[in-house]
Amino acid sequence: SARSAPGWPRSRSAGTSPISCGPAPSGSRPATSTSSGIDPAWRTIEFVSSLTAASDNTKSAYTSDLAAFVEWCASVDVAEPVAVDRLLLRRYLAHLAATRFAKRSIARKAAAIRRYFGWARRAGVIAVDPSLGLRAPAGDSDPGGGDR
């Protein structure tokens, strides 16, 4: 497709995790997944490694938030970042709100997504950043103090 980068897979194999726990192989771009469950299209290891000024807590939260986003993308048949557009990001935030995440949590997840797509644009993973101007719902977390 015109939106795909050459040589990148369009879908991932069933039963594989969209987030890896190890470095991507060097050299040419690998296939859809490896025996360790790496989905190279998202390049999450490189993204997290780029967060050099972030605290360990921020890196952990962003890793978790990105993993949840990538998993959700797979559930709606989006297998790589070049297939993500602004509408899809808004659908994801609406999904989080419908799942009753606190507004503060949704705001952090939106920040992680914006940071990821900003990095992906600078790294040449995508040509256009779909998260530009993406905003999470305004306001604090729910009055009961519960934060998911």
Side-chain angles (χ1 to χ4, degrees), residues 30-41:
T32 303
S33 65
T34 65
S35 60
S36 64
I38 295 170
D39 187 345

Side-chain angles (χ1 to χ4, degrees), residues 59-117:
K59 289 178 185 179
S60 177
Y62 279 18
T63 298
S64 174
D65 293 341
L66 186 56
F69 174 67
V70 171
E71 184 176 320
W72 181 83
C73 283
S75 77
V76 295
D77 295 324
V78 173
E80 58 190 351
V82 297
V84 175
D85 60 17
R86 186 172 175 76
L87 178 60
L88 185 79
L89 294 176
R90 292 184 57 160
R91 283 179 53 205
Y92 180 65
L93 295 181
H95 162 75
L96 295 175
T99 312
R100 303 191 48 86
F101 276 90
K103 289 179 182 179
R104 187 176 298 162
S105 294
I106 296 171
R108 189 200 68 228
K109 292 171 188 305
I113 289 168
R114 281 192 307 270
R115 185 105 176 239
Y116 169 76
F117 280 105

Side-chain angles (χ1 to χ4, degrees), residues 47-59:
F47 166 66
V48 174
S49 296
S50 78
L51 301 174
T52 57
S55 72
D56 288 343
N57 287 343
T58 298
K59 289 178 185 179

Side-chain angles (χ1 to χ4, degrees), residues 100-104 138-148:
R100 303 191 48 86
F101 276 90
K103 289 179 182 179
R104 187 176 298 162
D140 274 338
S141 64
D142 59 354
D147 196 336
R148 225 174 126 168

